[in-house]
Amino acid sequence: MAASPETLQFLSQCFLHSLSPQPEPRRRAEASLVEAAEQPNYGLAVLTLIRTSGIGEEIQQAAAVNFKNYLKARWAPAARRSEPNVPLPSPIPDDEKKLIKEHIVSLMLESTPRIQAQLSEALVVIGKHDFPRQWTELLPMLNTRLQQALSEGGNYAAINGILGTANSLFKKFRHGYGTNDLRLDLRYCLDSFAVPLLQLFSHTASLIDSGVSSGDAAAKLKPLFESQRLCCRIFYSFNFQELPDIFEDNMDPFMSVFGKYLTATYPALEQGGELALVDNLRAAISEILTLYVERTEEPFERYIGEFEKAVRSLLVTASASSGRDHLAITAIKFLTMVSTMAHHYKLFDDASLDQICRSIVIPNVMLREEDEELFELNYIDFVRRDMEGSDVDTKRRAACELLKGTAKHYREKVAPMVNSVIQTMLATCGENPAANWKYKDSAIYLVIALCSVKATGPNVLTGFFDLQSFFTLVVVPELQSQDVNSYPLLKAGALKFITVFRDQLPKSSVLPLVPEVLRFLCAEANVVHSYAAIFIDKILLVKDEGGRARYAASDIAPYLPVLLNNLFSALKFPESEENQYVMKCIMRVLTAADVLSDVAASCVSGMASILNEVCKNPKNPIFNHYLFEAVAVLIRRACEKDPSVISAFETNLFPSLQTILTNNVVEFFPYAFQLLAQLVELNRPPLPAHYMQFFDLLLLPDLWTKSADVPALVRLLQAFLRMAPHELNQGGKLNEVLNIYSKLLPSSRTDEQAFFVLNTVIENLGYDVIGGYLQQILVSLLTRLQSNQTLKFVRCFLIFMSLFIVKHGWNSLVSTVDSIQPGIFFTILEKFWIPDLKHITGATETKLTAVASTKLICECSALLDPGASKYWGKMLDSIVTLLSRPEEERVEEESEVPDFVETGSYSATFIRLYNVNKRDDDPLKEIKDPKQFLLASLANLRDFSSRYAQVISENVDPANQAVLSQLYSNLNTA
């Protein structure tokens, strides 16, 4: 695609229409751009359009975004391969890549800020794959442009564009493992960029000093402070792996500047609405200081005392102000790191500890207006932050970590301070609960955060408080409050307390509060009824010594109807219609409780109604998963106990399952197939006619195109094969089943599922039905074995042959294999069966393959022939290895290899329903011990002792010979 005027006009119109609010012109424009992107030099043409003046920034912006996405998709498409069924876009040709790299830096620096940001991201995309080794020109180019910008009187718009790009490029050094390649790349970048970086940092610091002293306006200072922040971020990247010599040699100058930025004030910015700009620079410095303390860099130790005072003083001010969270969090982390390092603990005296406790920690754990807004407007995020621990980067969590850090070396001093603060908080709340309830909330939060739970028994914890006393005097009154809607944040704190300490609080204290907690399921606040559900869910998982559940079915039986009713009622509150915590609790209650038939019928009716609603627009995958788990556990618990209720379950669930399949609710396909499998297996043959419509649907080839659906489809197909094997003889259905097996076999992602289908056919159908297909099956297996041999496939192949032998005898298998190619059975024995038998895992599979192998050496005439004695001895050696050695000693783990050959459309990963039991049918229930079966079978061989003694001595490993002798000895003494 040449960048002709016609081409630029075409692209300009496409980008303009792609911004249209009307769907039709927008779709046409997007389709045209997708088609154009397939042409050579498309990227260069878009770059030319971005550079062209007079076309409008709106079009240039759209073109820049398109260019960035074009590079993401096509610069190194193979590296983005995560969906094996999606065709890869064609990569950008090398000559076009070269020209893009030559022009993108200059264009980025010449562009307006919005376009510059997009092109900077595009440059980083290239850098991710090519920098530095395949783009050695980049850093010299950036350095040249940096010097040019400085010589132009300090063009900080260009300077900051360069620094922003460099910062993005160098982030790889922050989180990558310290491999030799990474260290070589870091060394190259340091050699090229460290000196210009330090020179720029020093020069900009001088400009800031002179600008502040001469009273420069905020507009002039802003780009300078942004430049220093970017320098600090690059500084952080360069120092992350280790302290480079150039930074160690220049530590005094830049540490002096760091200290100045932490302690000085900048009224022009701070009072002019740009306080965040200054704070962001201070936060970047705090991260560098934390890194140095964590790395215990010796040259830095002499600065720690002064920086600790500077940061602590800064935090006292920042903690008293709102909207300075980022600075507060990074600065608190620095103090926390200092406080936990043993060689720095003497830095803190009583006055500094008191200041940390009262002026830094306490203000930062108090509820803020933002917390209340999050509580009311986004309960999911609030729960994740407050209950699930995603609040790592919040001021509340950081402040508590600081308190715990100081307590590490100053427990005797800190504990009385904290206790005093908590008592003051509680007293303040007591004076005027309506106005001061936040103080009580903060007291509960502090106790939860500071009590480090130990798993050594009930009521044992390390902390500052008497847990039981605090629980009784402070928490219980909140839980007993009859108004579940008053002070909801405080109620949530009390529920969180009893949840967090569910293991430590005795059952005698917790169980009487269960009916109180049930009332909170009806609270209007989403967080409150979510916390009530989380508490019930968690206590049903508490185990005492010996793994026995502390709270049994009998404990919740008196409250079960009210509990389930309140849980389903909670799902009717606005925003809680798909509350994942409530649905998880329903699942847990149904798992733990004794659910009677009438309660089960009511529950399945309620869940079917919910399922019908979520089918219309599946939004919350976590809620949906627990919904299906709840249905599965209800089917398992209720129908297995009382088969008479199966029909009621079918009546309620079949319409929903049919809706999923007929309306193509693809997100729910795997769940629907698993539930159908569960219901099929609960019936008794012959299956009711309404199931067979699903069986016919199951055989449609199009249903098997999505790999994520395959395990669930196979599970359902297995259920039908077990429960309705005779239907396979009707209308060519066995052919259709084997066609499914054939489609799954070639792909290493689905070959194991192919064997599940095949093995179920072998196990449930007579040889008179499957005999005519055996040669076809074996040919397909041998072809795959030859073309794509993996350890997993060989294991499955051995299990299949073993199952066939124990179900239908060895004779048919051996004769059919050798009819494909004479002597190939011995080739299979030599190359696969004998060496790979030891890799079989699983108790049922181990028994199956050991018994089948024993049958071969004790019954198969070909192996009993004297000319095959070597194969006989080696097979016996493998059987003994399989039966005598632990799995971890004999099994080699095979790494998963992506399969890029598979066809079909991509879908998300399959998620198994835990409560749909996986059937592990044992085809050899009559054989209890495969070792005894081996000994008995060998004993039945004619002339065993005289004929095979030499064969065993020559072919069986001495250790296995000793095992055989021991087995015989044990048998004789038994």
Side-chain angles (χ1 to χ4, degrees):
M1 176 180 282
S4 63
E6 294 77 17
T7 298
L8 297 181
Q9 177 65 23
F10 164 74
L11 290 175
S12 177
Q13 289 300 307
C14 285
F15 288 123
L16 179 62
H17 290 311
S18 72
L19 302 173
S20 171
Q22 302 300 320
E24 189 54 38
R26 186 175 67 247
R27 280 196 289 264
R28 282 201 306 269
E30 290 169 350
S32 296
L33 289 170
V34 169
E35 184 178 345
E38 295 293 336
Q39 299 182 40
N41 295 319
Y42 171 81
L44 289 171
V46 176
L47 276 184
T48 305
L49 181 69
I50 296 170
R51 190 190 295 271
T52 303
S53 59
I55 66 167
E57 187 170 354
E58 186 180 46
I59 293 174
Q60 289 175 310
Q61 174 76 7
V65 172
N66 176 273
F67 178 74
K68 175 190 68 178
N69 293 332
Y70 170 78
L71 295 192
K72 283 182 178 179
R74 296 174 185 268
W75 195 270
R80 299 178 69 247
R81 167 65 87 178
S82 59
E83 308 94 357
N85 301 320
V86 176
L88 288 174
S90 56
I92 301 172
D94 290 342
D95 57 345
E96 184 180 351
K97 285 183 175 181
K98 182 179 178 182
L99 290 170
I100 288 173
K101 288 194 284 191
E102 287 177 5
H103 292 96
I104 190 171
V105 174
S106 59
L107 178 56
M108 178 195 73
L109 297 176
E110 294 163 4
S111 300
T112 59
R114 290 174 64 203
I115 296 172
Q116 187 180 85
Q118 296 298 326
L119 292 179
S120 177
E121 287 186 45
L123 191 151
V124 171
V125 171
I126 303 172
K128 179 181 177 182
H129 302 289
D130 290 13
F131 179 78
R133 303 189 180 206
Q134 294 171 271
W135 199 1
T136 54
E137 307 90 350
L138 178 58
L139 278 189
M141 195 186 312
L142 291 177
N143 272 329
T144 300
R145 298 305 296 259
L146 187 62
Q147 298 307 317
Q148 182 181 339
L150 283 168
S151 66
E152 292 172 351
N155 179 1
Y156 271 85
I159 289 170
N160 290 346
I162 294 167
L163 291 176
T165 300
N167 177 42
S168 297
L169 289 169
F170 299 146
K171 282 179 181 178
K172 63 184 286 185
F173 302 123
R174 297 183 197 173
H175 307 296
Y177 290 108
T179 62
N180 287 335
D181 285 346
L182 188 77
R183 291 181 187 279
L184 287 172
D185 290 350
L186 176 58
R187 174 50 53 195
Y188 167 78
C189 294
L190 284 167
D191 291 344
S192 302
F193 208 77
V195 170
L197 176 72
L198 291 173
Q199 290 173 344
L200 175 64
F201 185 77
S202 177
H203 175 71
T204 307
S206 299
L207 292 179
I208 289 174
D209 288 345
S210 60
V212 170
S213 62
S214 60
D216 284 350
K220 193 170 182 179
L221 293 173
K222 277 177 61 177
L224 302 179
F225 272 82
E226 176 61 12
S227 176
Q228 295 298 70
R229 185 191 71 83
L230 290 168
C231 285
C232 287
R233 299 311 293 150
I234 296 171
F235 186 108
Y236 183 81
S237 297
F238 279 167
N239 284 263
F240 192 87
Q241 299 293 330
E242 59 188 10
L243 176 62
D245 292 342
I246 188 169
F247 288 99
E248 182 176 348
D249 296 340
N250 291 277
M251 191 169 281
D252 274 338
F254 63 75
M255 286 295 163
S256 173
V257 177
F258 285 174
K260 185 187 302 179
Y261 291 151
L262 291 174
T263 55
T265 58
Y266 299 93
L269 292 169
E270 294 175 11
Q271 296 170 16
E274 299 294 345
L275 176 61
L277 185 70
V278 183
D279 279 356
N280 285 340
L281 173 57
R282 292 164 174 159
I285 292 169
S286 298
E287 286 198 68
I288 295 169
L289 301 179
T290 304
L291 179 69
Y292 273 8
V293 174
E294 186 179 14
R295 296 284 189 273
T296 60
E297 299 290 2
E298 186 176 336
F300 178 67
E301 287 193 20
R302 66 181 185 272
Y303 303 102
I304 290 179
E306 289 304 313
F307 278 125
E308 185 275 325
K309 291 177 184 176
V311 170
R312 176 157 43 88
S313 177
L314 180 63
L315 265 173
V316 170
T317 304
S319 298
S321 307
S322 61
R324 306 181 74 180
D325 289 13
H326 181 49
L327 171 62
I329 291 165
T330 54
I332 288 172
K333 285 182 177 179
F334 167 72
L335 285 186
T336 303
M337 186 60 66
V338 172
S339 70
T340 56
M341 306 300 282
H343 49 295
H344 300 317
Y345 78 90
K346 292 181 181 178
L347 290 172
F348 298 98
D349 56 19
D350 289 357
S352 60
L353 288 172
D354 186 71
Q355 186 180 50
I356 287 172
C357 181
R358 297 184 185 277
S359 301
I360 297 175
V361 173
I362 302 309
N364 284 302
V365 299
M366 291 295 291
L367 273 174
R368 301 168 303 161
E369 190 175 321
E370 303 96 288
D371 298 318
E372 295 183 71
E373 288 178 358
L374 190 68
F375 182 91
E376 293 175 5
L377 301 178
N378 193 336
Y379 78 95
I380 293 287
D381 277 359
F382 185 93
V383 174
R384 285 173 180 162
R385 278 175 43 170
D386 185 56
M387 180 71 85
E388 297 178 358
S390 70
D391 63 335
V392 177
D393 286 323
T394 64
K395 291 203 299 183
R396 263 194 155 190
R397 172 67 73 88
C400 288
E401 292 302 315
L402 172 58
L403 206 50
K404 284 193 276 189
T406 55
K408 183 174 181 180
H409 297 294
Y410 304 94
R411 176 175 298 277
E412 293 180 358
K413 295 181 178 179
V414 172
M417 293 180 188
V418 176
N419 266 308
S420 172
V421 166
I422 287 177
Q423 294 306 317
T424 301
M425 286 178 164
L426 294 174
T428 303
C429 176
E431 292 168 4
N432 188 348
N436 299 330
W437 62 268
K438 289 183 182 179
Y439 288 92
K440 188 173 186 179
D441 172 86
S442 297
I444 293 173
Y445 185 91
L446 271 174
V447 173
I448 293 172
L450 295 176
C451 289
S452 304
V453 175
K454 282 186 176 180
T456 52
N459 291 324
V460 178
L461 56 97
T462 59
F464 304 153
F465 316 100
D466 180 345
L467 179 69
Q468 186 66 47
S469 175
F470 187 89
F471 172 68
T472 303
L473 297 176
V474 179
V475 177
V476 171
E478 293 301 324
L479 297 175
Q480 291 176 334
S481 168
Q482 295 305 298
D483 185 356
V484 296
N485 294 316
S486 63
Y487 309 112
L489 271 156
L490 193 51
K491 300 294 193 299
L495 288 165
K496 178 184 176 184
F497 185 98
I498 195 172
T499 302
V500 169
F501 297 112
R502 61 192 178 276
D503 285 302
Q504 285 66 44
L505 294 168
K507 183 176 179 179
S508 58
S509 297
V510 174
L511 194 57
L513 291 171
V514 169
E516 306 288 358
V517 174
L518 298 191
R519 294 184 297 105
F520 288 98
L521 290 170
C522 300
E524 294 173 1
N526 302 92
V527 173
V528 174
H529 58 245
S530 297
Y531 276 17
I534 291 170
F535 164 73
I536 296 162
D537 170 34
K538 297 296 185 184
I539 64 163
L540 293 177
L541 293 173
V542 174
K543 299 285 192 293
D544 286 325
E545 290 185 17
R548 183 174 53 85
R550 182 180 298 178
Y551 300 92
S554 57
D555 293 319
I556 59 173
Y559 320 113
L560 186 59
V562 175
L563 170 56
L564 287 170
N565 179 70
N566 288 4
L567 284 168
F568 279 100
S569 296
L571 294 173
K572 296 176 183 177
F573 283 107
E575 306 299 326
S576 271
E577 295 89 350
E578 296 184 24
N579 187 314
Q580 63 207 49
Y581 307 104
V582 174
M583 185 51 69
K584 186 180 182 184
C585 183
I586 290 173
M587 178 206 71
R588 189 76 63 207
V589 170
L590 294 175
T591 303
D594 289 327
V595 182
L596 300 178
S597 300
D598 56 338
V599 176
S602 173
C603 284
V604 76
S605 174
M607 286 190 283
S609 298
I610 296 169
L611 182 53
N612 289 335
E613 284 301 310
V614 297
C615 280
K616 297 175 184 176
N617 183 19
K619 292 179 298 199
N620 186 341
I622 301 174
F623 173 85
N624 296 336
H625 179 77
Y626 286 125
L627 170 60
F628 282 100
E629 285 284 13
V631 174
V633 73
L634 193 59
I635 292 172
R636 178 169 60 85
R637 297 293 306 281
C639 297
E640 288 181 1
K641 183 165 60 176
D642 183 4
S644 67
V645 303
I646 294 177
S647 60
F649 276 69
E650 293 171 345
T651 301
N652 280 287
L653 293 176
F654 268 31
S656 302
L657 299 177
Q658 287 171 327
T659 298
I660 291 169
L661 299 178
T662 57
N663 292 356
N664 208 32
V665 188
V666 293
E667 298 93 335
F668 293 167
F669 274 14
Y671 294 127
F673 299 141
Q674 291 177 84
L675 291 183
L676 279 169
Q678 192 180 23
L679 289 168
V680 167
E681 290 172 346
L682 285 169
N683 277 273
R684 294 290 175 264
L687 283 177
H690 51 260
Y691 280 100
M692 299 317 295
Q693 61 179 322
F694 290 110
F695 184 48
D696 292 335
L697 177 68
L698 190 58
L699 299 179
L700 295 176
D702 289 347
L703 204 59
W704 295 80
T705 55
K706 295 176 183 174
S707 57
D709 293 344
V710 167
L713 286 165
V714 168
R715 177 80 167 79
L716 178 56
L717 183 55
Q718 287 180 293
F720 276 116
L721 293 175
R722 292 185 181 110
M723 305 306 296
H726 300 296
E727 280 78 353
L728 289 179
N729 294 323
Q730 303 170 8
K733 286 188 169 59
L734 181 55
N735 262 327
E736 295 178 57
V737 171
L738 292 177
N739 284 339
I740 290 169
Y741 145 80
S742 299
K743 184 174 182 178
L744 300 178
L745 186 67
S747 167
S748 60
R749 286 170 64 92
T750 55
D751 54 6
E752 189 173 28
Q753 300 296 325
F755 277 105
F756 291 161
V757 174
L758 184 58
N759 291 346
T760 310
V761 170
I762 297 301
E763 190 171 357
N764 291 278
L765 297 177
Y767 186 75
D768 57 325
V769 177
I770 63 173
Y773 299 93
L774 183 57
Q775 185 173 20
Q776 171 191 340
I777 292 169
L778 288 169
V779 167
S780 65
L781 292 173
L782 294 173
T783 302
R784 167 63 204 275
L785 195 62
Q786 188 175 22
S787 64
N788 185 10
Q789 180 191 135
T790 64
L791 187 55
K792 180 183 70 170
F793 183 86
V794 173
R795 289 174 185 169
C796 291
F797 183 49
L798 295 185
I799 291 168
F800 156 73
M801 291 193 294
S802 299
L803 179 63
F804 191 94
I805 287 171
V806 301
K807 297 299 291 187
H808 305 295
W810 57 266
N811 189 50
S812 299
L813 181 69
V814 174
S815 61
T816 307
V817 168
D818 280 339
S819 72
I820 298 170
Q821 182 180 322
I824 197 172
F825 184 72
F826 274 105
T827 303
I828 292 171
L829 288 181
E830 182 179 16
K831 291 190 174 182
F832 302 108
W833 200 312
I834 291 171
D836 289 305
L837 184 62
K838 64 183 179 182
H839 295 140
I840 300 298
T841 59
T844 301
E845 291 81 358
T846 297
K847 180 168 72 167
L848 174 66
T849 50
V851 168
S853 302
T854 300
K855 284 178 173 289
L856 281 176
I857 64 172
C858 295
E859 298 175 14
C860 179
S861 54
L863 272 170
L864 291 170
D865 187 278
S869 59
K870 179 181 178 181
Y871 294 106
W872 189 97
K874 294 296 184 185
M875 179 70 94
L876 176 61
D877 184 58
S878 293
I879 296 170
V880 176
T881 298
L882 177 69
L883 294 177
S884 63
R885 297 187 190 175
E887 283 185 8
E888 58 269 19
E889 291 182 14
R890 55 183 174 80
V891 176
E892 301 172 11
E893 286 301 320
E894 182 181 41
S895 60
E896 286 293 324
V897 180
D899 183 1
F900 300 142
V901 181
E902 184 181 4
T903 58
S905 58
Y906 171 74
S907 183
T909 306
F910 167 74
I911 300 177
R912 185 175 75 86
L913 287 173
Y914 176 82
N915 286 294
V916 175
N917 290 335
K918 183 180 177 183
R919 287 184 54 142
D920 291 317
D921 291 338
D922 183 358
L924 293 168
K925 292 185 177 67
E926 70 280 4
I927 297 176
K928 302 302 181 186
D929 186 351
K931 294 177 185 176
Q932 291 185 1
F933 181 82
L934 171 66
L935 297 181
S937 300
L938 292 175
N940 287 334
L941 285 175
R942 190 173 58 182
D943 303 326
F944 171 69
S945 300
S946 58
R947 179 179 169 188
Y948 288 100
Q950 185 175 353
V951 175
I952 291 173
S953 73
E954 292 175 354
N955 295 285
V956 177
D957 183 89
N960 284 342
Q961 292 183 40
V963 170
L964 272 175
S965 298
Q966 184 64 44
L967 288 173
Y968 274 113
S969 174
N970 292 342
L971 183 66
N972 293 330
T973 58

